[in-house]
Amino acid sequence: MLTPGSHDRGIDLFHKQVFRSASTTAVVRTIVQCKLYRGAVSVADIRDFFGVMTAEIAEGYFFTTGQITSAGIQFIANANKSSYANSFRFVDRDRLDQLMGIGVSILELWQEFDDLDVSQHDYATASKSILEKVSTAQH
């Protein structure tokens, strides 16, 4: 769920998933904060987000188009070791670029697979061809 534009304590997305069995119910909450930055995200911003994660008893994802300071990265590492940790992950500009590159590659391979005339090729041959291209692209 996209949160409202104000009074959301910096949370841009909130997801709640409920798992039920005969004997128990578990709730997993995930919150996401997105920062459009050109420079560095301060450790104060990271601490604030961790405070909201802890209050919401949620795992968190912090996305930024900028960089996270070394103090911020260290804070996240320490936070994930604490007994209050709820799986704090971050994606900065470099990781975002990597993820976007992977996504584009997958889309291109998917299109190539769709373009194959499967009536003339079997799926095993088509899959092998695409796996060879992925392997070559990784080196």
Side-chain angles (χ1 to χ4, degrees), residues 86-100:
N86 294 307
S87 192
F88 191 158
R89 297 179 183 97
F90 73 93
V91 176
D92 62 4
R93 179 179 56 223
D94 294 338
R95 289 182 181 192
L96 195 54
D97 286 345
Q98 289 174 346
L99 289 171
M100 294 300 288

Side-chain angles (χ1 to χ4, degrees), residues 45-109:
D45 289 330
I46 301 296
R47 272 196 225 100
D48 289 347
F49 183 65
F50 182 71
V52 176
M53 283 175 53
T54 304
E56 293 289 336
I57 311 170
E59 60 182 19
Y61 291 84
F62 192 101
F63 287 83
T64 181
T65 55
Q67 298 293 324
I68 296 178
T69 63
S70 58
I73 292 170
Q74 187 60 51
F75 181 87
I76 293 168
N78 290 338
N80 281 328
K81 293 176 190 173
S82 89
S83 59
Y84 298 104
N86 294 307
S87 192
F88 191 158
R89 297 179 183 97
F90 73 93
V91 176
D92 62 4
R93 179 179 56 223
D94 294 338
R95 289 182 181 192
L96 195 54
D97 286 345
Q98 289 174 346
L99 289 171
M100 294 300 288
I102 291 168
V104 167
S105 296
I106 289 170
L107 288 173
E108 289 170 352
L109 289 171

